Amino acid sequence: MRRAVRLSVFGLAALACLASPVLAEDLQFSVYGGYQTAPHSGVDLSDGTHFTAGWEGKSFGSPPYYGARVTWWLEDLGHPNLGLSIDYTHDKVYADDKTLAASGWSHFEFTDGLNLLTANALYRFPQDGGRWTPYLGAGVGVNIPHVEVTRPSGTTFDYEFGGVTLQAQAGVDFRVSDHWSTFVEYKGTYSKVDVPIDSGDRLKTDIFTNAVNLGVSFHW
């Protein structure tokens, strides 16, 4: 599971390369990084424990926050401003010191990623004669968090299937050349996480993230 998650971004790149001969000039591959945060969320355990977690994003700490996506613009189908994308995002959250003190846990993180994989619809708004193109998008997918919990009853350190993720984004793309562009965007996600931990318990929490991304795209 660990290797599959780590290779997600390379899988998207391979998919772009394979599809490019068929979808020439309709396809783009993008990579991005940025600054990601997450507000507090309630944590519920199946043993009846409840507490509120304060989350830190630490976007530039190892492993960093990053993402990649492949987008198909439906030009050949007569809808040049409508696109479909597959997006992988390596979101991450760390429980802060106050949360650890209140819970009695020594370690609580999803830092080898919340690992979000979503399918999205995008719409762009070309400007006549301009290089700037605003766009909006929304989608749905799944999260596969790396669950890291250390508490008096035991330790959990593994990838698990978490549940459903929703995503929304808004940004602007700047065309540098025929094949290259850069972009800046806001991305918000909601992930419903329900995972097993030690001693046969389950952990549930709803995690919202907010990110400002900077990225680069290659267009076929």
Side-chain angles (χ1 to χ4, degrees):
M1 181 65 123
R2 177 184 294 270
R3 184 178 180 185
V5 173
R6 289 185 182 277
L7 291 178
S8 294
V9 64
F10 300 105
L12 289 176
L15 181 60
C17 292
L18 290 172
S20 58
V22 178
L23 298 171
E25 299 184 6
D26 295 344
L27 185 75
Q28 73 182 67
F29 175 68
S30 307
V31 293
Y32 56 88
Y35 181 68
Q36 171 247 309
T37 63
H40 291 36
S41 66
V43 177
D44 292 290
L45 273 62
S46 55
D47 65 3
T49 301
H50 172 82
F51 59 90
T52 297
W55 298 114
E56 298 177 351
K58 299 183 182 180
S59 303
F60 307 112
S62 181
Y65 162 79
Y66 66 89
R69 64 173 167 259
V70 176
T71 305
W72 295 267
W73 297 104
L74 306 183
E75 296 181 8
D76 290 342
L77 299 180
H79 300 282
N81 297 327
L82 181 64
L84 303 175
S85 74
I86 299 173
D87 199 336
Y88 167 75
T89 311
H90 185 268
D91 279 357
K92 57 177 188 168
V93 288
Y94 300 73
D96 60 21
D97 291 341
K98 184 177 179 180
T99 300
L100 296 177
S103 65
W105 297 4
S106 59
H107 188 81
F108 182 26
E109 305 173 358
F110 301 113
T111 54
D112 224 354
L114 280 172
N115 299 308
L116 315 180
L117 186 64
T118 59
N120 310 275
L122 300 171
Y123 195 85
R124 59 186 176 183
F125 304 86
Q127 309 300 300
D128 291 339
R131 294 188 176 189
W132 299 93
T133 304
Y135 60 89
L136 298 171
V140 62
V142 298
N143 62 84
I144 306 174
H146 189 259
V147 185
E148 301 180 28
V149 172
T150 301
R151 57 180 187 153
S153 60
T155 297
T156 304
F157 191 83
D158 204 358
Y159 289 100
E160 303 288 355
F161 176 77
V164 174
T165 289
L166 303 178
Q167 175 174 294
Q169 62 199 107
V172 60
D173 181 270
F174 178 74
R175 199 65 175 250
V176 177
S177 68
D178 287 345
H179 292 292
W180 292 97
S181 66
T182 61
F183 62 91
V184 58
E185 69 180 14
Y186 163 79
K187 179 185 283 188
T189 69
Y190 162 74
S191 297
K192 193 169 186 64
V193 179
D194 182 352
V195 291
I197 58 173
D198 69 273
S199 306
D201 290 333
R202 296 195 69 86
L203 182 153
K204 297 181 180 181
T205 187
D206 296 335
I207 298 179
F208 294 83
T209 68
N210 298 288
V212 176
N213 297 326
L214 295 173
V216 61
S217 298
F218 181 80
H219 303 253
W220 277 267

